[in-house]
């Protein structure tokens, strides 16, 4: 934004009169709030290099702040709309999750059993938070304690909250831009009965302000008229606000150059390109959105959102426009909650199996199969939607591997049940589908799961061959491992049921063989990809070693069976141990934090993995000892 040649004069006035009203002291009208903000959720935004709907951004932000995907029973976009358009109304919203009582003690807050706090509670402790965060930031990341990491997390969340809170503050009437002088209002073509204005209202009159104050440098300040003093105060506050508003908020406005695929915040666009008519119009559209929201005018709100979105799309590059066409699909994906639906049906399938142990009727088997199919369909549908949204194969990060492996394990289980018809596939499918979706849900807490690919994965061909093959291999080994557990439990509970044991044993062999084949194929294809990308077929990378371990372990089980070193129980135990090998190869090696496959690194899983390993070994050891006493040997 240009303010003529008065920068020096205004800067001087700021120095001699530094008492400026803080932007945090906005007026706080009682907003009516529109009830439906879905139109806002379809507005495009750029984050981490990806064009996404504001609905997705809202879900990620609320999850990051509070650990929840909704607030007071409403979707995240409702809370984000309130934060953007009526930020004063979020002061008492308990959205800040704090897990460490030590932090609360340091800033003088009592511990809440829900572990969530509002901005009003935390505001007085911001200075202390900043002090603690600076100290924690000075510590090497590898040396930080859990509390120190929590300090940085909460402090970053508070900073982000304040930035979003100010993202559209240029639309809100503020004391800095109050005009009481009647002559000044007349000269600026403002209504005589209105006194309160926003930054944008005054900025749109900047040219007139410049004209009215053109010769003021030649006059002493005590000779200025009332309206001239008013004009200089307005210019001074415009300048001060523009200085303080660097990079605030979200990247919601595309660059004016269609070839540049970098977006800016509304404030940055206002500062750097305010003279462009398109920018002015888009900023006014945002103000119309805010006004309609606070006045409770639903139709006007929807229209303002649509007009703003059309303007933004019109300035996108060709590639961005193509991506923006998928925004409605992504909003549908967010709102449909297909994974939750699948998760519930998996749970119902398992409960049906448990009920069948009490009331063994054929009808229950049909019900169980139907429920598993009803769980599989939304699970698969959600996976296909993700592929359509991102235009890529469905496995590019740890979250997606759990989703994909879950689909394949349930598919294999359904095929098994079509031939077995003895609940084997239903039990394995319901457990695997439920567990993998539950694990995926934990990983989704990291934020947006539809992220852009890292460079090493930017190949749809290899994602469709190597990555899918290796993860299908994971699926086969996981199904075989779960069937191994079923075999062991069958042997413990019904050791004389030879037919049932032999049936389960045959399916273990078949699916374990399938897992071995796909794991081997995936490993070989990975070597070819590595040769093309890094110039070597094999480099003993931890992830490569993990894939090799799966192939070697399953091969050992088959060779031991062929050499009559192990019996059916041994095969079942070997398949169950194969689950440990898969877990280590899948994401356990990520804990080493080394290697070229760094895109898969995560944290916070070591304890869970160790607990699983210990419990698994304990279960297998006790089971084998008991079965040996019953005359069943490995």
């Amino acid at each position: 934004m240009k303010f003529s040649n008065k920068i020096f004069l205004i800067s001087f006035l700021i120095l001699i009169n530094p008492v400026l009203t803080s932007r945090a002291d906005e007026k706080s009208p009682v907003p009516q709030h529109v009830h439906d903000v879905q139109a806002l959720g379809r507005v495009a935004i750029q984050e981490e290099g990806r064009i996404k709907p504001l609905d997705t951004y809202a879900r990620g932000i609320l999850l990051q702040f509070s650990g929840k995907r909704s607030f007071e029973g409403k979707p995240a976009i409702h809370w984000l709309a309130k934060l953007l358009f009526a930020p004063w109304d979020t002061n008492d919203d308990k959205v800040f999750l704090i897990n460490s009582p030590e932090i609360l003690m340091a800033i003088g807050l009592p511990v809440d059993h829900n572990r969530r706090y509002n901005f009003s509670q935390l505001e007085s402790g911001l200075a202390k938070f900043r002090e603690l965060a600076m100290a924690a930031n000075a510590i090497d990341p590898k040396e930080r304690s859990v509390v120190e990491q929590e300090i940085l997390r909460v402090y970053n969340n508070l900073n982000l909250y304040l930035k979003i809170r100010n993202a559209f503050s240029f639309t809100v009437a503020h004391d800095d831009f109050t005009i009481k002088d009647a002559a000044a209002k007349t000269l600026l073509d403002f209504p005589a009965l209105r006194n309160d204005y926003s930054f944008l209202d005054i900025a749109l009159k900047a040219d007139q302000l410049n004209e009215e104050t053109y010769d003021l440098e030649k006059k002493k300040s005590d000779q200025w008229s009332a309206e001239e003093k008013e004009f200089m105060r307005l210019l001074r506050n415009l300048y001060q606000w523009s200085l303080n508003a660097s990079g605030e908020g979200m990247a919601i406005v595309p660059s004016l150059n269609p070839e540049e695929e970098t977006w800016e915040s509304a404030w940055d666009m206002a500062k750097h390109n305010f003279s462009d008519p398109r920018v002015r119009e888009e900023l006014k559209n945002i103000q119309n959105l805010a006004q309609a929201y606070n006045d409770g005018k639903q139709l006007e709100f929807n229209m303002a959102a649509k007009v703003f979105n059309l303007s933004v799309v019109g300035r996108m590059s060709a590639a961005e426009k193509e991506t923006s066409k998928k925004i409605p699909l992504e909003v549908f994906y967010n709102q449909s909650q297909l994974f939750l639906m699948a998760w519930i049906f998996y749970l119902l399938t398992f409960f049906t199996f448990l009920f069948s142990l009490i009331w063994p009727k054929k009808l229950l088997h049909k019900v169980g199969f139907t429920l598993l199919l009803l769980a599989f369909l939304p699970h698969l549908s959600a996976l296909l939607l993700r592929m359509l949204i991102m235009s890529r194969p469905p496995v590019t990060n740890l979250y997606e591997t759990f989703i994909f492996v879950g689909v394949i394990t349930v598919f294999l289980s359904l095929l098994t049940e079509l031939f077995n018809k003895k609940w084997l596939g239903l039990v394995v499918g319901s457990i695997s589908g439920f567990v993998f979706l539950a694990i995926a849900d934990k990983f989704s807490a990291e934020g947006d799961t539809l992220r852009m690919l890292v460079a090493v994965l930017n190949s749809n061909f290899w994602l469709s061959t190597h990555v899918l093959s290796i993860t299908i291999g994971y699926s086969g080994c996981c199904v075989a491992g779960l069937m191994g557990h079923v075999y062991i439990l069958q042997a413990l509970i019904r050791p004389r049921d030879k037919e049932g044991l032999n049936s389960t044993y045959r399916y273990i062999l078949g699916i374990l063989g399938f897992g071995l084949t796909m794991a081997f194929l995936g490993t070989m294809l990975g070597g070819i990809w590595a040769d093309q990308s890094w110039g070597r077929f094999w480099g003993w990378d931890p992830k490569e070693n993990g894939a090799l371990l799966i192939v070697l372990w399953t091969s050992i089980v088959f060779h031991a069976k062929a050499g009559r070193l192990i019996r059916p129980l041994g095969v079942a135990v070997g398949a169950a141990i194969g689950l440990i090998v898969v877990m280590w190869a899948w994401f356990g090696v990520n804990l080493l934090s080394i290697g070229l496959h760094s895109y898969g690194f995560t944290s916070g899983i070591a304890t869970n993995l160790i607990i699983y390993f210990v419990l698994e070994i304990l279960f297998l050891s006790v089971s084998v000892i008991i079965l040996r006493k019953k005359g069943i040997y490995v």
Side-chain angles (χ1 to χ4, degrees), residues 199-269:
F199 172 91
L200 182 60
D201 292 328
I202 304 304
L204 290 170
K205 302 290 184 178
D207 291 338
Q208 288 178 256
L209 289 172
N210 284 329
E211 291 178 9
E212 298 294 339
T213 58
Y214 183 78
D215 294 324
L216 283 188
E217 291 95 335
K218 301 176 183 178
K219 298 169 60 177
K220 295 181 179 180
S221 59
D222 57 3
Q223 296 176 342
W224 293 349
S225 65
E227 59 266 26
E228 287 172 338
K229 291 178 180 178
E230 195 88 318
F231 293 155
M232 288 307 300
R233 180 182 64 83
L234 293 173
L235 280 174
R236 180 188 64 200
N237 289 341
L238 281 177
Y239 177 68
Q240 182 66 19
W241 273 52
S242 65
L243 284 179
N244 294 336
S246 178
E248 293 206 26
M250 312 158 296
I252 199 170
V253 188
S255 168
L256 292 178
N257 182 357
E259 302 305 318
E260 294 181 8
E261 296 186 355
T262 55
W263 290 30
E264 296 185 51
S265 70
W267 265 112
D268 277 341
M269 192 62 78

Side-chain angles (χ1 to χ4, degrees), residues 80-95:
L80 182 65
K82 186 166 61 169
L83 179 59
L84 290 171
F85 302 129
W88 52 84
D89 208 36
T90 66
N91 288 341
D92 297 326
D93 292 344
K94 292 190 173 183
V95 294

Side-chain angles (χ1 to χ4, degrees), residues 164-177:
I164 299 174
R165 183 186 178 102
N166 283 325
F168 296 157
S169 58
F170 59 85
T171 68
V172 181
H174 194 280
D175 288 341
D176 283 355
F177 305 109

Side-chain angles (χ1 to χ4, degrees), residues 299-310:
L299 178 60
E300 288 84 344
F301 180 84
N302 293 344
M303 291 177 65
K306 186 174 183 179
V307 170
F308 174 75
N309 213 23
L310 288 173

Side-chain angles (χ1 to χ4, degrees), residues 42 56 67 77 90 115 149 207 257 264 301 447 501 512 618:
R42 292 188 287 272
T56 298
I77 189 64
T90 66
R115 297 177 296 150
Q149 292 174 359
D207 291 338
N257 182 357
E264 296 185 51
F301 180 84
L501 288 170
L512 189 63
L618 186 62

